[in-house]
Amino acid sequence: MSETQATEQTLGFQAEVKQLLHLMIHSLYSNPEIFLRELISNASDASDKLRFEALSHAEWLAEDPELRIQISFDSEKNTVTLKDNGIGMSESEAIQNLGTIAKSGTSQFLNAMSGDQKRDSQLIGQFGVGFYSSFVVAKHVDVYSRHAGLKPEQGVHWSSAGEGEFTVGPFNKEDRGTTIVLTLRDEHKSFADRWTLRRIVQKYADHIAIPIQMLSEPIPAQDEDQESSETKTENQAPQFETINKATALWQRSKSEVSEDEYKEFYKHISHDFEEPVKWSHNKVEGKLEYTSLLFLPKKAPFDLYNRDKSHGLKLYVQRVFIMDDAEQFLPLYLRFIRGVIDSADLSLNVSREILQASSQVDSMKNALTKRSIDMLVDLAKDSEAYLKFWKEFGQVLKEGPAEDFNNREKVCGLLRFPSTQSEANLVSFDDYIGRMQEGQEKIFFLTGESLTTLQSSPHLEIFRKKGVEVLLMADRIDEWMMGYLSEYKGKSFQNIAKGDINLGQETDEEKQKKEELEKSSDPLIKRVKEVLGDQVKEVRITTRLVDNPACLVLDEYDMGAQMRQIMKAAGQDMPDPKPIFELNPTHPLIEQLNDLVQEDRFEQLVRILFDQAALLEGTQLKDPAAYVKRIHALLLELSK
């Protein structure tokens, strides 16, 4: 083979790639062996892509049907060579894939850097920049490639020392696929060794479903342009042996797969640097036949909260790769689940549209959803392990009650919240029900902007006095989620900042006292209503307050602050609902207010109390300057 030099061109790396390469070369050296893991993973993906393309281009695979990855080395030249016969690249694809990164992976990777070299080096694959890990060990990288279906003279040679630019040009490559030649740095010469390379392959890639082959004898790997395959004799051709199991791990019996193999397979498919928390490996036979292998991650990916980001399981049909992110098999709130599904029943010419309309897929989705939830239920038996999981994925799981009616109660059993009785240790609905007082029929909760705001809310005063527990929900999604929950295990939910409150503990004497207070406070209520006018929906007496003189309450069906923010963020104009202004008739300030004859002073104090009640709710005042002016006037009067 010979490279055509005439049209070779030198191009600059994308700016972010330059920064990435600098980090690769000068910082991320604590775990250099990950370069081989990443290159093998890329080669495996290239083989999967070829299998998929062969569904419509059978001739692409037919020219060399035995897919494989071959690793060779030359200890004298300090080179390591990795070769695959997968889909390969054209010249334009080499420029695009190896010179730029169109997605946000690079910037996200750079932002995630922590300064911990070992952890940072493990981030490489997670953010889709695995090829560049070559420069951790190599001072120069040469890539020879030809896309399946192209002619030999349409091959490409890409070359770079990782110093800001690369060269690319035509290359006459007889076979399809990609060959990567790494010229090692002096400090990494030890990788040009058969046993070192074999150890790394068995550590990271024993589960790869295609053969990974290595020279059975330490014969130096031939350069691509040294001689053509036609002139090699059988005795000269290097002999390779397979060093991995080369069978699809998910198709093996569970008893044959070790924990370490499951963990490494998870890292391969997810590009995660952490081990999985749990996994579920199942084979289904009968009306539908498929195998699934599902994993619970330990850490949330950087794009977990982007609901539009591609997600889903790797889909195979009879071990033929179909797609990377088959989102049809799990609901969106379980988008953190990673894994593989291999079906014997789905059509090989499957498309996303066909999948969405398939009753088979619906049945599989129901089963896989149940299996995923069962994994979480099992994990929740270990409260410490589940709490760590919840901190990473809890907010996404809270999307479940709205999205999955069939499994709503099971998902609700997985939710966790702080409460007035357990602010440090999160509690479940079941924990709450187990502590409910005699006669209590409702699960009480309070939503708000922050846990600090909720803990100081006046709405909690009567609950603390009576010893009734309240769940504190400070996540932005909480009010939206609770809008889809009416009850759990026969107990209805009550937002204590909306509507009337019935603790189920009121005695006949307390009821009579409340009626008397309401009657005696009628004149005061009318005067306050006249001052506030259409700022409020209603003014009324309350018994929910103990230490505070007043509070704001929403009507039972009014939209709370959290939900209004969500709707406004979605571009919908949401007018603020008029609150109900509740007064504590036994508070000294309210008693004094009731006795106040001077109308202008009465108005001033009512408006101050109203604004203070709004501040306690975490609401921003509509006219802060007017509030401050009233406070100043009051202070001046008191100082006389």
Side-chain angles (χ1 to χ4, degrees), residues 11-37:
L11 302 171
F13 282 112
Q14 181 185 29
E16 284 183 330
V17 176
K18 291 181 183 179
Q19 187 179 358
L20 178 66
L21 287 171
H22 181 82
L23 284 167
M24 293 288 186
I25 296 167
H26 298 288
S27 301
L28 303 183
Y29 51 77
S30 64
N31 188 21
E33 67 184 31
I34 53 94
F35 84 93
L36 191 58
R37 176 194 73 187

Side-chain angles (χ1 to χ4, degrees), residues 23 27-28 108-116 119-121 123:
L23 284 167
S27 301
L28 303 183
Q108 294 285 358
F109 170 80
L110 297 173
N111 291 336
M113 297 287 285
S114 66
D116 180 334
R119 180 185 179 277
D120 289 345
S121 67
L123 288 174

Side-chain angles (χ1 to χ4, degrees), residues 446-451 453-454 473-476 478 562 617:
L446 180 63
T447 61
E449 292 298 307
S450 69
L451 189 57
T453 301
L454 293 176
M473 302 185 179
D475 287 339
R476 188 179 181 186
D478 285 335
Q562 286 180 321
E617 293 297 309

Side-chain angles (χ1 to χ4, degrees), residues 162-177:
E163 295 178 350
E165 59 185 27
F166 60 91
T167 60
V168 64
F171 186 82
N172 193 45
K173 192 173 189 301
E174 295 296 330
D175 50 358
R176 67 155 195 267

